[in-house]
Amino acid sequence: MRRLLLLRHGKADRHSAGGDRERPLTRRGEEDARRVGEFLREAGMTPELAVASNARRAKQTLERTLEAFPGHVTHLIENTIYLATVDHLVDVLRQTPDKVHTLLAVGHNPGFAELAIWLAGGGEPSDLDHMRASYPTAALAILDFDTEHWAEVRKGAARLHRFVTPAALRGDVVDDPD
């Protein structure tokens, strides 16, 4: 089995002097990323590899999320994830080494939401509906693949194990608008 933890970056400032790539996380974005990391740790979902976009907000989300894990998680920054299309994200996913069973990827919408929807061929209907309706900042799709090789990942091949939003982790009833 392969597991993909598909995490959209946390809430970021709307503007930055350095342009879109330099937008930092807000305080809430940092807190939500930490909550996601704690959720993953408590659920026993430690990634063997973590990959993030080179945008500042994605790198900060990765850093805050990985703080929850007591040991070192191998991670890298992938420049081509920034605002990537589904086709490109699938190509990147298929290049994941097979020794990695759980991969954490941190990136952006619309690509990440579209990828999650493209991959999810099954799962809890309410989670699927929620994910299809809205993929807010710091939302996490946990996708499981019944395959031995990442290169075999195909449309509809994953089961959505769970869709987690920061609002749910905070105990809020409604997701925040982006």
Side-chain angles (χ1 to χ4, degrees):
M1 185 185 86
R2 306 284 165 204
R3 175 167 278 171
L4 174 61
L5 308 171
L6 201 58
L7 177 61
R8 183 177 174 201
H9 66 77
K11 186 160 186 67
D13 279 341
R14 293 275 182 210
H15 304 286
S16 173
D20 187 61
R21 282 188 199 246
E22 293 304 316
R23 291 173 41 216
L25 290 179
T26 63
R27 182 180 307 248
R28 192 186 87 205
E30 290 187 6
E31 292 168 359
D32 287 345
R34 284 187 185 100
R35 273 189 200 92
V36 169
E38 291 167 6
F39 166 81
L40 290 170
R41 185 194 72 237
E42 290 170 7
M45 295 185 209
T46 303
E48 292 148 327
L49 176 64
V51 180
S53 156
N54 67 339
R56 183 175 178 188
R57 60 194 179 274
K59 293 187 290 189
Q60 288 177 318
T61 299
L62 176 65
E63 292 165 3
R64 298 295 87 75
T65 301
L66 293 182
E67 287 173 359
F69 298 100
H72 174 75
V73 174
T74 301
H75 57 279
L76 57 96
I77 304 304
E78 175 57 55
N79 296 345
T80 67
I81 291 176
Y82 178 74
L83 303 181
T85 64
V86 169
D87 288 341
H88 182 73
L89 292 170
V90 170
D91 287 343
V92 171
L93 183 59
R94 288 178 179 157
Q95 294 174 33
T96 303
D98 286 334
K99 67 180 180 178
V100 174
H101 290 89
T102 302
L103 172 67
L104 169 63
V106 182
H108 312 269
N109 271 357
F112 267 42
E114 292 170 357
L115 177 63
I117 292 165
W118 189 86
L119 290 170
E124 177 63 38
S126 62
D127 275 350
L128 287 164
D129 290 345
H130 189 186
M131 180 182 75
R132 290 174 182 143
S134 174
Y135 207 112
T137 53
L140 172 72
I142 303 167
L143 298 153
D144 292 335
F145 301 87
D146 187 19
T147 183
E148 290 187 38
H149 308 285
W150 288 103
E152 298 170 354
V153 168
R154 302 281 180 265
K155 181 177 183 177
R159 180 184 175 284
L160 181 64
H161 174 79
R162 188 146 178 216
F163 183 65
V164 180
T165 64
L169 294 177
R170 288 191 306 265
D172 295 346
V173 177
V174 179
D175 291 321
D176 296 319
D178 290 332

